[in-house]
Amino acid sequence: MAGERAGHSLQATALVNEAYLRLIDAKDVAWHDRAHFLAVSARVMRRILVDHARARGSRKRGGQAAKVTFDETLVVTDEPGQDFVALDDALEALAKFDERKSRVVELRFFGGLSVEETASVLKVSPATVMGDWRLAKAWLQREMRGDRSHDA
């Protein structure tokens, strides 16, 4: 959230606080390890950000959802200001045919997990995570730009 535009209505502290509140309500979760906790946290933060963007868009009476600029190391698209709703929709589409690649993006992008932590959560090698990360980013860039000319 460091790269957010000025005046963004959801601050990093508020995001962490909301995620914490949702996580402590999940009393039946048996945490396996740090990586499992981070994976669940990534999913919770993704939901919070997408819900916030959707709510903001609906308050604007049909206007666009809040645009967000991301840290360059986490950028999924080349275009600054892609929104969470479009990213969430693209991740849902990716998950329909490759759940693991979608999870890699969720863990790394929303959860901030390292390649090694992501590999541990998904029980794959770091090399597999890096390959999935590269392919998923390329697919998401194409999907979010609406470029489906290579689909057949």
Side-chain angles (χ1 to χ4, degrees):
M1 304 243 350
E4 289 293 331
R5 63 176 163 63
H8 187 271
S9 60
L10 184 62
Q11 300 299 317
T13 304
L15 174 61
V16 171
N17 286 338
E18 180 65 24
Y20 174 76
L21 290 173
R22 290 186 187 188
L23 288 169
I24 62 169
D25 282 343
K27 296 177 184 2
D28 295 334
V29 176
W31 302 110
H32 302 291
D33 54 22
R34 179 179 183 270
H36 181 234
F37 172 76
L38 292 173
V40 173
S41 297
R43 175 75 42 107
V44 167
M45 285 190 275
R46 175 181 172 187
R47 294 279 39 104
I48 293 167
L49 291 168
V50 170
D51 291 347
H52 179 75
R54 283 195 173 120
R56 181 169 167 85
S58 67
R59 282 193 305 265
K60 290 176 143 183
R61 296 184 195 147
Q64 295 295 325
K67 300 288 184 185
V68 181
T69 303
F70 302 110
D71 182 336
E72 185 177 336
T73 60
L74 299 176
V75 170
V76 175
T77 67
D78 292 331
E79 301 170 12
Q82 289 295 337
D83 64 280
F84 286 118
V85 175
L87 176 59
D88 185 61
D89 292 343
L91 280 174
E92 292 295 327
L94 177 60
K96 287 180 181 172
F97 67 88
D98 198 325
E99 176 70 24
R100 190 180 71 209
K101 284 180 181 59
S102 177
R103 291 282 293 147
V104 166
V105 173
E106 181 177 70
L107 293 169
R108 301 220 49 228
F109 186 79
F110 289 99
L113 272 66
S114 69
V115 170
E116 292 75 19
E117 290 169 326
T118 302
S120 174
V121 169
L122 298 176
K123 297 178 181 15
V124 297
S125 72
T128 298
V129 169
M130 285 306 298
D132 285 352
W133 178 241
R134 281 190 298 273
L135 288 170
K137 286 194 308 183
W139 189 91
L140 289 169
Q141 286 174 338
R142 194 181 82 196
E143 183 74 10
M144 291 176 74
R145 280 193 301 253
D147 177 14
R148 293 179 186 88
S149 60
H150 295 94
D151 294 345

